[in-house]
Amino acid sequence: MREQATRARAVYQHEVRRHRPSLPLSLIAPALGRLWRLRSWEVGVVVGAMALAAAVRLSFVLPAGFPLNDGGLFYVMARDVQEHRFLLPWRTSYNGLDIPFAYPPLAFYLAAAVDLVGPWSLLDVMRFAPAVANVLTVGAFYLLARAVLGRGWAAVFALFLYALLPRVYLWQLGGGGLTRSIGLLWAVLALWQGYLMFRHHRRPQSLAVLFAALAVVTHPEMGWLVAFSYLLFLGAYGRNLQGLKTAAATAAAVAILTAPWWATVLARHGLDTLVDASRTGKSDWLSWGFLNHIHIYIAEEPFFPLMAILGYGGMAVALAMGRPLLPLWFLLLLYIDPRVAGTTAMLPMAMSGGLLMATLLDIAMKEAIPLPRLISRLGRGSARWAPWAYGGLALLALYAIYSSLRADAWAPTPLAVLPSPVREAMDWIAHHTPEGARFAVVHGRGDPWTDSISEWFPALTGRQSVATVQGTEWLGEETFQYHLAAFYDLQGCAYEGAFCLDRWATSFGARYDYVFIPCAEGWECAQSLRLSLAMDSRYLLVYDGTGGYVYQRARGAALAESALDAL
């Protein structure tokens, strides 16, 4: 009997070794589970959602060959960090405007460091880092959703909704998403830890403090997201002395950790620089104007807003269940900063949508058709089969994936890229025009936030664009509004003649030496303005390529303008 038992044990151990998972799976999954307290099936679900999110995001990033949309300002700021040997610069060299280097700098330091440690370029970092951070945020979101909704179908459905909601990544994948995407990653992790901290009446948690501090020194608006969300969690779960102590200690610890940045900025540029930048361009900040952002296309789905409707429906379900946190959180995020709330509000919206889907699935399973034990192969009792529910989930998944892959269907879109011919024209400008030359960049497109041409022009040419808006928010509200108005008026000249440029220069006191009209396949290329400049003796065509046209302004006209300015 002992020999038989020994032989059986040996056979069992042999079978275990033969069927043991490969080393990566056997080590990585348990390690992740222990680190984040995830079960094996949860690790698989999160990895699957992140893989789906990566596929969607890379479908826009890979074909572009250049950072999507914006990022010119941040590209120069990362270069400034390198040129100052990783000491915090006083000012950024972007566009020759003497802009204070007061922006939270962590993302610039990360980009500058990554650029120096590999064969890739800084442009490659600007191109891929936002997508990587956004995919990681999907995984971090599951931790938050599981904490709020509990382990189960609601958190799983919320995870996949968050992975596919277009607004989650629309403004995160561009070059400017270097700070937005990394800041959102830290913020979601901070919200996860902060929720657990207040929900379970714990003392200040080191990870909650760390992630909140990282969010503050990465993106200015992510700090607001974390701060106001913590206040909401405090009001919902921490209305006691311990909660107040935890909140105060957490705020103090975050302030201490971030002091090297904000104390330096205050010493160099004063409090007004930070205050003015936080208010610039936010006429509806902390106002009832946030109500205008409550609509079914808030998630910017290109076709039918199905996922947003699920989110709103889930908020109604949450209220009916006596769980008002998600609806209140959604309204709070819209209220504190409507400009970025479309992105941050996707957190409670996705969780609300997951709650609704789990509720509907539960109802469907209760009314489902029992299957015989032989067919179900479950061994106990009987399974239930709800074909309409499973079919509905499949159709929803197909639609959500297709909608996400077509998120760039609306124009203008932040998923567009600066065309290669236009970049070639900018390269010509960088090598064939004087270093101090000032340019009026005219293309006729009226949205400065999807205007990759005006933002990347100073970064790629080293020349000044006199009507570029980016960066001027750090120069005060008056300067910002001046550049914003100058931008809109100048782009209107694309459909008029040279006299429009004269009127614009007089109205805004603008001086320029060249006019750059970018052009690419399918663009109108400011035809009216080009015809007028061709017949005006004050302008000389010095570049005519597939990427645009460069007109040099006669020196006499520029001198006369300078004399008028002096008078």
Side-chain angles (χ1 to χ4, degrees):
M1 293 293 291
R2 183 176 300 174
E3 291 179 358
Q4 292 178 349
T6 303
R7 189 180 302 109
R9 188 181 302 110
V11 170
Y12 172 78
Q13 292 175 349
H14 172 73
E15 289 297 314
V16 168
R17 286 193 297 268
R18 189 164 67 89
H19 294 286
R20 181 178 294 170
S22 60
L23 182 62
L25 286 178
S26 63
L27 293 180
I28 294 176
L32 288 175
R34 288 191 298 270
L35 180 62
W36 306 113
R37 298 181 180 178
L38 297 177
R39 296 176 180 173
S40 297
W41 67 267
E42 289 180 291
V43 174
V45 168
V46 172
V47 170
M50 292 175 65
L52 178 61
V56 170
R57 286 142 181 81
L58 290 178
S59 71
F60 300 107
V61 173
L62 287 179
F66 190 80
L68 296 172
N69 195 34
D70 56 355
L73 170 62
F74 295 163
Y75 174 79
V76 172
M77 295 180 81
R79 281 281 184 237
D80 291 336
V81 168
Q82 292 176 336
E83 292 175 1
H84 285 76
R85 299 182 180 181
F86 287 83
L87 296 176
L88 188 67
W90 277 69
R91 300 185 182 277
T92 176
S93 59
Y94 181 77
N95 208 24
L97 293 178
D98 208 26
I99 300 171
F101 204 112
Y103 199 102
L106 179 59
F108 309 136
Y109 277 86
L110 292 176
V114 172
D115 172 40
L116 296 178
V117 299
W120 43 76
S121 67
L122 182 56
L123 283 175
D124 292 329
V125 177
M126 300 284 295
R127 179 184 172 195
F128 288 103
V132 171
N134 192 250
V135 171
L136 292 176
T137 303
V138 172
F141 171 80
Y142 178 75
L143 300 173
L144 174 62
R146 190 191 61 176
V148 175
L149 300 174
R151 183 181 278 116
W153 281 115
V156 172
F157 289 144
L159 170 65
F160 281 92
L161 283 177
Y162 191 78
L164 295 174
L165 280 165
R167 185 57 198 245
V168 169
Y169 58 86
L170 266 179
W171 292 93
Q172 305 291 308
L173 296 185
L178 177 71
T179 62
R180 293 190 291 264
S181 60
I182 298 177
L184 183 61
L185 172 60
W186 302 136
V188 171
L189 290 170
L191 295 175
W192 163 52
Q193 283 293 302
Y195 179 86
L196 292 175
M197 179 175 65
F198 288 106
R199 182 69 178 86
H200 299 291
H201 311 291
R202 298 173 180 171
R203 295 179 178 178
Q205 300 295 299
S206 57
L207 285 180
V209 171
L210 174 62
F211 290 137
L214 291 173
V216 169
V217 296
T218 301
H219 192 280
E221 288 156 335
M222 293 304 106
W224 288 112
L225 165 64
V226 173
F228 279 92
S229 296
Y230 276 16
L231 287 176
L232 177 65
F233 300 157
L234 173 65
Y237 306 113
R239 299 188 304 273
N240 51 59
L241 182 59
Q242 178 59 50
L244 293 175
K245 289 181 178 180
T246 297
T250 300
V254 171
I256 292 172
L257 284 180
T258 57
W261 164 64
W262 58 259
T264 301
V265 172
L266 291 179
R268 290 179 176 181
H269 309 293
L271 180 61
D272 289 344
T273 297
L274 293 176
V275 174
D276 290 344
S278 67
R279 295 177 176 175
T280 298
K282 298 179 181 178
S283 58
D284 53 356
W285 189 58
L286 297 178
S287 73
W288 291 105
F290 80 95
L291 295 173
N292 297 325
H293 296 267
I294 302 176
H295 52 80
I296 60 174
Y297 280 99
I298 188 173
E300 299 194 35
E301 298 170 74
F303 309 114
F304 184 73
L306 179 59
M307 289 183 280
I309 291 176
L310 288 174
Y312 286 123
M315 293 179 200
V317 169
L319 289 174
M321 297 171 64
R323 301 169 61 179
L325 177 68
L326 291 176
L328 290 177
W329 196 6
F330 175 78
L331 294 175
L332 176 66
L333 295 181
L334 292 181
Y335 178 70
I336 63 174
D337 196 348
R339 192 174 71 173
V340 299
T343 299
T344 58
M346 293 301 101
L347 297 170
M349 173 157 281
M351 284 185 271
S352 299
L355 179 63
L356 175 62
M357 293 176 64
T359 302
L360 293 176
L361 181 63
D362 183 61
I363 295 174
M365 297 308 295
K366 288 179 179 178
E367 301 296 329
I369 304 170
L371 285 178
R373 182 182 308 176
L374 179 64
I375 299 177
S376 65
R377 296 180 181 272
L378 293 179
R380 293 183 179 179
S382 61
R384 289 187 174 269
W385 164 248
W388 67 268
Y390 299 132
L393 287 176
L395 291 176
L396 173 60
L398 290 175
Y399 169 78
I401 293 172
Y402 178 73
S403 178
S404 297
L405 292 172
R406 294 295 309 278
D408 60 347
W410 286 0
T413 172
L415 296 177
V417 66
L418 184 66
S420 177
V422 178
R423 301 200 300 269
E424 293 175 4
M426 291 183 182
D427 183 68
W428 183 92
I429 291 171
H431 290 90
H432 296 88
T433 60
E435 289 188 2
R438 300 161 62 91
F439 279 75
V441 180
V442 188
H443 48 72
R445 302 184 176 205
D447 182 10
W449 315 122
T450 55
D451 179 15
S452 58
I453 301 168
S454 295
E455 178 166 359
W456 279 103
F457 181 88
L460 299 182
T461 66
R463 308 299 183 262
Q464 184 175 8
S465 169
V466 295
T468 291
V469 177
Q470 282 76 11
T472 59
E473 64 269 25
W474 295 94
L475 298 174
E477 179 71 19
E478 184 177 351
T479 301
F480 173 79
Q481 293 297 338
Y482 163 84
H483 279 83
L484 192 62
F487 169 83
Y488 286 128
D489 279 21
L490 179 61
Q491 301 317 315
C493 292
Y495 308 101
E496 299 186 44
F499 66 90
C500 180
L501 294 179
D502 298 334
R503 184 180 68 242
W504 171 80
T506 301
S507 298
F508 291 93
R511 293 186 295 108
Y512 62 96
D513 308 300
Y514 293 84
V515 177
F516 175 46
I517 301 177
C519 192
E521 185 177 356
W523 292 12
E524 295 183 6
C525 305
Q527 183 176 3
S528 299
L529 180 59
R530 285 193 291 113
L531 292 175
S532 178
L533 295 178
M535 295 184 292
D536 194 317
S537 60
R538 297 174 299 167
Y539 295 91
L540 175 65
L541 180 64
V542 295
Y543 177 83
D544 180 359
T546 57
Y549 307 85
V550 178
Y551 294 87
Q552 184 176 9
R553 196 181 187 200
R555 182 172 177 79
L559 289 175
E561 188 177 84
S562 299
L564 288 174
D565 289 343
L567 292 176

